[in-house]
Amino acid sequence: MNEKLDQLEQRYDELQAKAADPSITSDLATYRATMKAISEIEEVVSKYRELKRVRKSLADTRGMLSSLKGDDELRELAELELADLQSKEPMLENELRVLLQPRDPNDEKNVFVEIRAGTGGDEASLFAAEIMRMYIRYAESKRWKVEMTDANYSSVNGIKDATLQVLGNRVYSRLKFESGVHRVQRVPQTETQGRIHTSAISVVVLPEAEDIDIQVFDKDLRIDTFCSSGPGGQSVNTTYSAVRITHLPSGLVVSCQDEKSQIKNRQKALKVLKARLYDIERQKREAELSATRKGMIGSGDRSEKVRTYNFPQDRVTDHRIGLTVHNLPAIMDGNLDGIIEPLTAHFQAEKLREAVEAK
């Protein structure tokens, strides 16, 4: 492992020197590729350098302990520092093993987030709208761009279903474990007797497919146009700008009415269609590779309840890892890192364990 880390550190230094070269900064494409290569290994190199500092401090502290004679106070301090460093070394080594695991090829991609109201009627649609807002606020905190691709509103200003496109740095790596059934427990606005109801919605996170990932042929598509509906301006219900695309071989249907331009709506709908087709192919591949893997480790299984939002108890529980977090208002306002980071760490550890067991 150390040999590989030394090579990565050397590569990192070379890339940093390249990025500082004035001839590179004038070539935008090369500069972007260089900065992207730096960002891909920066975390590993930073962690490796921290490990090397800990190892040097360990050697220095051990040397100091061997030379201390008769100074009990200094020796006690040195032993405390040694114990702290000895606990840090294996922790950093384990973190590096996780970082050196092969990355999900989709981690760098933009995503489509599909949100659908499930059981619970109007209350489910209201909760779907709140979850949509939660993801939008989280994206804003990460400086990601969010575009609404399609939305069908309920009679109470909730969301029957909606699709968001989220664009930014490593979006899929942060949101990929959000897929699944999200359950809410609270007293609905329409409840007059104060009874707690349980409703559910589904969230699906799809990595955006590139042309090299999946090909869609014109002969396999049926494209229909219709008037857009819902909140909007003068074009709503007056122009045939909304687009519905049916992929004939699979039967998948995608619609988009966000833009006033039919051409732009068609482009967005095609992106969503490709993402869904790519997700189907990805699930097939992963099922073939590991039929025993369960949950949301990348299988795309959305039938399992993954999270419960309990408003009376001010808590959110992620059932996959048994995590309970309080301060529900902050979470609904987009502060999701307290859930996303433990989920990511858990599934990274699972992948590392599987890799070790496979050897």
Side-chain angles (χ1 to χ4, degrees), residues 291-309:
T292 58
R293 290 179 72 191
K294 295 181 180 179
M296 296 307 303
I297 310 176
S299 67
D301 179 9
R302 306 173 196 110
S303 61
E304 183 181 351
K305 174 186 66 183
V306 296
R307 195 173 297 159
T308 295
Y309 303 73

Side-chain angles (χ1 to χ4, degrees), residues 6-18:
D6 285 334
Q7 292 171 353
L8 283 174
E9 186 178 30
Q10 182 181 349
R11 172 66 175 156
Y12 180 78
D13 290 336
E14 291 170 354
L15 288 166
Q16 288 281 22
K18 184 178 179 180

Side-chain angles (χ1 to χ4, degrees), residues 149-152 161 216 218 220-229 237 239-248 251-259 261-273 276:
T149 299
D150 192 30
N152 291 310
D161 56 79
V216 176
D218 290 342
D220 293 333
L221 302 177
R222 185 178 72 235
I223 300 176
D224 303 306
T225 58
F226 58 98
C227 293
S228 58
S229 60
N237 291 322
T239 62
Y240 285 81
S241 59
V243 173
R244 182 185 299 110
I245 299 178
T246 304
H247 185 246
L248 300 175
L252 285 176
V253 179
V254 176
S255 61
C256 181
Q257 57 179 339
D258 182 52
E259 302 284 349
S261 163
Q262 185 184 118
I263 294 174
K264 289 182 178 179
N265 280 330
R266 174 174 172 158
Q267 290 171 342
K268 281 190 174 183
L270 273 173
K271 283 187 176 182
V272 177
L273 176 63
R276 291 185 185 175

